[in-house]
Amino acid sequence: GGRDRTPPACDWRRDWARAVELWDPDVVLWHTGTWSTYDRHVEGMDLVAGSAEWHDAVAEAHAEALAILGSVGARVVVAVTAPAWETERGKPAETTPEEAARRTPQLLEAVSSAAARSEQVMVLDTSEAICDPSCERPDLRSDGVHYTPDGASAVAAWITQAGGF
């Protein structure tokens, strides 16, 4: 479907492990979302969002990342982004309002499944902060995905309160 299926250009496992070791944080905030809702191509198989295989693969990838981010004892907070709402022609199908609304709860479930393996991980659903009454909030995400400066401030304030910081 036009997606790049080449190996990653960076070694995020090594880079993230090095970063948490160097910085020795008390808290790590990881904002995950739209990219993580895409279908996956793993070991020659296409894993469709919502399938049991997709759930397991996404949960395992997030569990691995969470273990790295919390490896020095930091509290890890995962903020799962609200559903996208792009409507412009040519945008990825995963970011259409209908698909994003279907896929984002599945991502939240997979991330929550991964987070349940560690007492030091908290999962937050940012749709609680920006989907009032709908996720179509151009004041907070002008393109339907990325935060505006005001949107970033609003979500940061919400994360601070919801995370108990």
Side-chain angles (χ1 to χ4, degrees), residues 106-149:
Q106 295 167 355
L107 173 63
L108 187 59
E109 171 58 35
V111 171
S112 295
S113 175
R117 302 175 193 184
S118 174
E119 292 181 12
Q120 71 194 58
V121 178
M122 169 188 270
V123 178
L124 300 175
D125 178 359
T126 64
S127 65
E128 295 177 22
I130 66 171
C131 295
D132 181 23
S134 79
C135 295
E136 293 186 34
R137 295 282 309 272
D139 58 317
L140 300 180
R141 298 187 304 168
S142 61
D143 67 356
V145 178
H146 303 97
Y147 297 120
T148 63

Side-chain angles (χ1 to χ4, degrees), residues 30-96:
W30 178 20
H31 214 122
T32 188
T34 303
W35 283 103
S36 294
T37 67
Y38 283 30
D39 294 345
R40 299 274 183 239
H41 185 77
V42 179
E43 298 176 1
M45 294 176 37
D46 289 322
L47 309 180
V48 178
S51 69
E53 296 82 8
W54 179 90
H55 177 278
D56 292 348
V58 171
E60 283 304 314
H62 281 78
E64 183 179 6
L66 294 170
I68 292 168
L69 295 173
S71 64
V72 297
R75 179 177 174 204
V76 181
V77 178
V78 185
V80 178
T81 60
W85 55 269
E86 291 186 312
T87 57
E88 186 178 321
R89 290 179 55 104
K91 294 292 184 177
E94 293 86 352
T95 64
T96 63

